[in-house]
Amino acid sequence: MPAKLSVNLNAIAMLRNRRDLPWPSVTGLGRIALEAGASGLTVHPRPDQRHIRFSDLQPIRDLIDDEFPQAEFNMEGFPNEMFLELVERHEPEQVTLVPDDPAQATSDHGWDFRKNHNLLGHVVGRLKKKGFRVSLFADGVPDAEALQIARETGADRIELYTGPYGGCYDDEEKAERIAGELGRTAEIAVGLGLAVNAGHDLTVANLPLLVKHIPALAEVSIGHGLTADALEYGMAETVRRFRRACGETV
């Protein structure tokens, strides 16, 4: 099965927030993405609300429930009490836990599973009791011991941080090497019973190689590159292009 595409709405929200106006519409473009075959929508509501605002969450939840019940809502964030309460209020199908400091511009590393075993175990247990699928942000290093700890937290999936892979867009040799490492990491995770998502700086150009190295890839969450392409091709055609890059026949 080709990897599913979840469209990250953060960049759209950031563009909207440059003005105190309702456009571009986060839900409007989310609707176009889902109409074009995206499997879900992703948001990362940060404490400073610099892109997705807390007030965006219920309209996105309603959009999926009312018009696209087959789609999924994925909320990602650092598991502080504020984030966990937002999750419990808006009930996404998937929760992706990331080790972000509030001051970070964007997610730029996976969890240190050894150091955060107890924290993640507690949070994952709380979320699983509510019925949420839980994914943990993970570096692409094929570290079997660390991934075993991730599995022991009770998580369902990992999301491979693909920033280093996306950053070598002009170096094919390096891209091939990092894609191989991501593939080995994914293979270990799948062997442990974890499904594998991926996200960060993925593009139409670099997705096919990633998919080649991770044939079991379940989902990709893409925001920046997809939003950039939407400025050129429009949101609907951009979603179709990314779906084809994931291996779908569109």
Side-chain angles (χ1 to χ4, degrees), residues 181-231:
E181 290 181 354
L182 290 163
R184 290 190 293 277
T185 303
E187 186 176 0
I188 294 168
V190 170
L192 291 168
L194 291 161
V196 177
N197 297 342
H200 212 86
D201 293 336
L202 296 176
T203 66
V204 167
N206 66 27
L207 268 168
L209 179 62
L210 185 70
V211 169
K212 175 184 174 183
H213 282 276
I214 311 178
L217 189 61
E219 177 184 288
V220 290
S221 173
I222 306 176
H224 182 83
L226 191 148
T227 303
D229 277 12
L231 294 173

Side-chain angles (χ1 to χ4, degrees), residues 11 25-26 80 91 95 122 127 143 158 177 202 207 217 221:
S25 169
V26 170
N80 57 19
E91 300 184 326
V95 183
H122 172 74
L127 294 171
D143 184 337
I158 59 167
R177 177 177 59 79
L202 296 176
L207 268 168
L217 189 61
S221 173

Side-chain angles (χ1 to χ4, degrees), residues 39-77:
S39 296
L41 302 174
T42 292
V43 297
H44 186 156
R46 295 177 183 274
D48 61 7
Q49 303 185 71
R50 63 179 178 266
H51 32 65
I52 287 294
R53 296 170 177 163
F54 302 157
S55 59
D56 291 320
L57 299 175
Q58 192 59 50
I60 295 170
R61 177 74 273 174
D62 291 343
L63 171 67
I64 291 173
D65 289 345
D66 295 344
E67 301 181 38
F68 304 92
Q70 78 286 357
E72 291 194 349
F73 190 19
N74 174 43
M75 287 177 61
E76 62 179 38

